[in-house]
Amino acid sequence: MKQTFKLKKGEILFDEDKIIITDDAKKQKWMLSLIICFGTIYGIETFLKYFKTGDNFDFWYGIIIG
């Protein structure tokens, strides 16, 4: 007997001997990875900018973000 539960962004299907989950978890994983990569690059860039400007804000902001 199949039972299907609709969710906000997907569904769960309980079949005889298996459970099938359909959602957009892969898309969310890639988006989160992309955001983290861009944040790390920005933090490193800000930290390296410290050596040109000598501004302490760039140093600490780059360390915290990177």
Side-chain angles (χ1 to χ4, degrees), residues 24-42 65-66:
D24 61 348
K26 287 184 182 179
K27 180 182 174 186
Q28 289 176 351
K29 182 181 85 169
W30 283 106
M31 290 299 291
L32 182 61
S33 297
L34 188 66
I35 290 169
I36 289 172
C37 286
F38 281 134
T40 304
I41 290 169
Y42 180 72
I65 298 298

Side-chain angles (χ1 to χ4, degrees), residues 41-60:
I41 290 169
Y42 180 72
I44 292 169
E45 191 176 296
T46 304
F47 177 72
L48 293 175
K49 190 171 86 172
Y50 161 74
F51 294 111
K52 288 185 180 179
T53 62
D55 186 16
N56 282 334
F57 176 77
D58 289 338
F59 176 76
W60 289 109

